[in-house]
Amino acid sequence: MLNVSPRQAQRFLLSHYGKSFTQKRMDAQMAVAAELLRSSRLSITEIGEKTGFSSVEHFSTAFRRYYHCSPSAFRQRAME
């Protein structure tokens, strides 16, 4: 669709954003997850599903790696 090769698209993302496609996708997923944790009563499992993770374990691990705290701890801090 962009009329460029995958490698050209990768170079474009790296040069303009300093991140790979995978990193940009993770940024977007984590931003949505954080917003859902702050503003909804959805369970952590539901948030993981809505943000595209295959399991709650995978979501929790990725969230902890990204934000350095668990989704439940993040939600508790956001509610204070």
Side-chain angles (χ1 to χ4, degrees), residues 24-78:
K24 292 293 287 173
R25 184 182 64 206
M26 181 62 71
D27 289 348
Q29 284 177 298
M30 290 298 131
V32 169
E35 183 56 32
L36 289 171
L37 286 165
R38 278 189 217 101
S39 66
S40 78
R41 292 181 181 246
L42 294 173
S43 71
I44 291 170
T45 300
E46 291 171 314
I47 291 171
E49 289 171 356
K50 285 188 177 295
T51 53
F53 289 90
S54 58
S55 69
V56 68
E57 292 83 9
H58 185 216
F59 169 65
S60 293
T61 300
F63 192 93
R64 183 174 281 116
R65 194 174 298 136
Y66 193 86
Y67 284 111
H68 306 290
C69 68
S70 69
S72 57
F74 184 92
R75 177 175 265 168
Q76 285 178 335
R77 277 191 257 165

